[in-house]
Amino acid sequence: MVGQSRKWMILAASVWIQAFTGTNLDFSSYSSDLKSVLGISQVQLNNLSMASDMGKAFGWCSGVCLKYLPLWVVIFLAAFMGFLGFGLQWLVIQGHISLPYSLVILLSLLAGCSISWFNTVCYVLCINNFPANRPLALSLSISFNGVTAALYKLIVNAINSTDSTLYLLLNAIMPLIASIGILALVLQQPPPQALSGDAIHRESSVFLHLVILAACTGVYLLVLEIESVTSSASTLGAILFLILLLITTRIFCTQEWAQRTENSSIELQGTSFNSVDLGDLDIRQKLVEIEASSSPLIRSSGNAYDPEENRSCCDQKFFKDRLSVLGEEHSVRLLIHRLDFWLYYLAYFCGGTIGIVYGNNLGQIAQSLGYGSGISSFVYLYSACSFFGRLLSAIPDLLGDNMYYPRTGWLVLGLVPTPIAFLLLVSSGSQAALRTATAFIGLSSGFIVTAAVSMTAELFGPVSTGVNHNILITNIPLGSLLYGLLAALLYQRNIRSSNLLVLMDGSAVCIGRQCYSETFAWWSFISMFGVASGYLLFLRTRAVYSLERNRNWMQYP
């Protein structure tokens, strides 16, 4: 029982890893300095950002390594990749060493691989230890990846708020320190154990308390930003919230162990819970038969359909070959032939990814609008709102059947704030508009990035999640290249056509709303297309979600 309770400590370890390894979120904090030191153009700076995102395309390598190497070895491989990738860039920006631009790109790629490897480790820890509440564990863990930039800003303010290069140094050393700190917890992983219905319910209740605690952490970080608190005590307060999470999980471990010990005889007598009564099977089978005969939810082809009986020829073609059941395992070959997958891919590509690219360009955007002195503040806001967005992805699982809505429907809702934010930036270049848009985009992208992990497992099978999700996130480097290149080319064009030009250490900087206004217009149109793709995915999958809900209701009335 004690070994089983250790899974909560594993969850705390995963949270700590995520909290200090979201190092891609603070790129905008030092990108202007990096551009100046290297003497590169905006297009070349975009290539560095794209190289970091390209590292995520190699996340499958970590999955392969986990098949042959212990988990703690993979953790330290990720930590040392980040240490080299970010550490050498810090030496370059400090002027201690000189490296060619091509090698700096390789360092960015290595740093991006580090982030992806850490994410894979956390996915494995959550999936292996919380199979019954996998989406909740993933949402809670991944959400803390969004607070990294906020935590690092607090640390930088406590050391030297004027030195933005400290972000690179923290990116290099903090993940390594965190890896050493959680090593003992990772080495004590409990063996997998099946849970009864009551145990699953208790586990969900614990997650609810942890999500509330996580939300309090996010509120604390936002209050620090609103009140412009920069003291060392504020940094310690943020760390104390992470320690409190660790203590809270320890308390739940003790309570769970005591409760299981007290009720062990009851649990032994209740082992028949897992047995299946033949009458229940008959009832469930009858339900499916009734559904199949009364409405075209199930056809002989095995595909799920909407309740509407009369559909046009175009509708029939659109609804052809839809998912027939949630959680069905998909091979790579089957996956790439699914229209549902490509709608999902486009929704992510035109929604979550475009938000990530906005975050990478946030430093230049703020600088062009005349708010260069507050770049770290905007990055902090984006990071904190990304955290809340990631945390909000747990809502479908916390609500359960009390307010059931297909996860693909939540995806559409999560995509909506992004086009609104870009339209706001097109219409106004004020600081209030920039802050509001940054908050909206942070919420939206954070929600999509985190919800996608659970959604991939739900739509295309949990066993194949590692491979299938890595195929999905190939859209991130692709989007980083295309969207970032679009923004950089328009930026460079406005430099040549604008009289408002500033030279900083040999690099040209565009000043004024015209630098990014056309980019925002394009991005708003693209993100609207993402909302449309997500809505089409929702239409194709809502029937199978309804069917799954009915099956769960019959199994757990």
Side-chain angles (χ1 to χ4, degrees), residues 173-192:
I173 63 175
M174 290 304 296
L176 181 59
I177 294 174
S179 300
I180 296 173
I182 57 90
L183 179 61
L185 298 177
V186 173
L187 291 176
Q188 298 178 8
Q189 286 193 75

Side-chain angles (χ1 to χ4, degrees), residues 64-123:
V64 174
C65 288
L66 284 171
K67 292 183 178 181
Y68 303 100
L69 298 173
L71 190 66
W72 67 270
V73 173
V74 177
I75 292 176
F76 279 99
L77 285 175
F80 280 113
M81 282 192 290
F83 182 76
L84 290 176
F86 288 115
L88 291 177
Q89 288 185 71
W90 179 76
L91 292 176
V92 169
I93 208 171
Q94 287 290 325
H96 297 309
I97 62 174
S98 178
L99 296 175
Y101 172 72
S102 57
L103 188 54
V104 177
I105 284 198
L106 290 178
L107 292 177
S108 296
L109 180 66
L110 187 64
C113 283
S114 169
I115 299 168
S116 180
W117 281 45
F118 275 122
N119 288 340
T120 301
V121 166
C122 292
Y123 298 162

Side-chain angles (χ1 to χ4, degrees), residues 462-484:
V463 176
S464 308
T465 300
V467 175
N468 292 343
H469 191 68
N470 276 301
I471 294 174
L472 173 69
I473 62 174
T474 56
N475 78 84
I476 296 179
L478 180 62
S480 182
L481 172 63
L482 297 179
Y483 301 145

Side-chain angles (χ1 to χ4, degrees), residues 187-236:
L187 291 176
Q188 298 178 8
Q189 286 193 75
Q193 182 175 336
L195 299 178
S196 65
D198 289 339
I200 293 174
H201 179 72
R202 288 196 304 269
E203 193 174 270
S204 300
S205 300
V206 174
F207 273 112
L208 177 60
H209 288 87
L210 294 179
V211 168
I212 293 173
L213 179 58
C216 292
T217 304
V219 170
Y220 173 78
L221 293 174
L222 280 179
V223 169
L224 292 181
E225 173 60 21
I226 295 172
E227 299 296 330
S228 301
V229 180
T230 59
S231 63
S232 301
S234 62
T235 307
L236 293 176

Side-chain angles (χ1 to χ4, degrees), residues 21 23 77 79 88 154 159 165 193 228 233 239 268 272 352 361 443 471 473 507 509 549:
T21 58
T23 48
L77 285 175
L88 291 177
L154 294 176
I159 300 173
T165 64
Q193 182 175 336
S228 301
I239 300 297
L268 288 174
S272 61
N361 286 270
L443 282 170
I471 294 174
I473 62 174
S507 61
V509 178
R549 183 190 184 190

Side-chain angles (χ1 to χ4, degrees), residues 103-301:
L103 188 54
V104 177
I105 284 198
L106 290 178
L107 292 177
S108 296
L109 180 66
L110 187 64
C113 283
S114 169
I115 299 168
S116 180
W117 281 45
F118 275 122
N119 288 340
T120 301
V121 166
C122 292
Y123 298 162
V124 170
L125 288 174
C126 292
I127 291 173
N128 288 349
N129 289 280
F130 297 93
N133 284 289
R134 179 179 62 247
L136 285 172
L138 288 170
S139 297
L140 182 65
S141 173
I142 300 172
S143 64
F144 277 87
N145 194 253
V147 306
T148 303
L151 289 175
Y152 284 7
K153 186 199 172 186
L154 294 176
I155 297 173
V156 169
N157 287 341
I159 300 173
N160 183 3
S161 60
T162 61
D163 187 5
S164 60
T165 64
L166 285 174
Y167 287 97
L168 271 172
L169 182 61
L170 291 174
N171 288 350
I173 63 175
M174 290 304 296
L176 181 59
I177 294 174
S179 300
I180 296 173
I182 57 90
L183 179 61
L185 298 177
V186 173
L187 291 176
Q188 298 178 8
Q189 286 193 75
Q193 182 175 336
L195 299 178
S196 65
D198 289 339
I200 293 174
H201 179 72
R202 288 196 304 269
E203 193 174 270
S204 300
S205 300
V206 174
F207 273 112
L208 177 60
H209 288 87
L210 294 179
V211 168
I212 293 173
L213 179 58
C216 292
T217 304
V219 170
Y220 173 78
L221 293 174
L222 280 179
V223 169
L224 292 181
E225 173 60 21
I226 295 172
E227 299 296 330
S228 301
V229 180
T230 59
S231 63
S232 301
S234 62
T235 307
L236 293 176
I239 300 297
L240 283 176
F241 268 104
L242 292 177
I243 295 175
L244 181 60
L245 184 69
L246 186 66
I247 295 174
T248 303
T249 54
R250 186 62 182 174
I251 292 173
F252 283 125
C253 286
T254 304
Q255 290 180 343
E256 183 179 358
W257 177 82
Q259 186 173 4
R260 288 190 176 190
T261 302
E262 181 180 354
N263 300 324
S264 58
S265 60
I266 298 177
E267 291 186 3
L268 288 174
Q269 295 174 3
T271 53
S272 61
F273 177 87
N274 291 327
S275 64
V276 180
D277 187 87
L278 293 179
D280 292 339
L281 281 178
D282 292 338
I283 294 174
R284 292 177 61 193
Q285 180 64 30
K286 191 67 176 177
L287 173 66
V288 175
E289 292 174 358
I290 292 173
E291 288 176 335
S293 60
S294 62
S295 66
L297 281 172
I298 304 176
R299 300 291 178 87
S300 59
S301 59

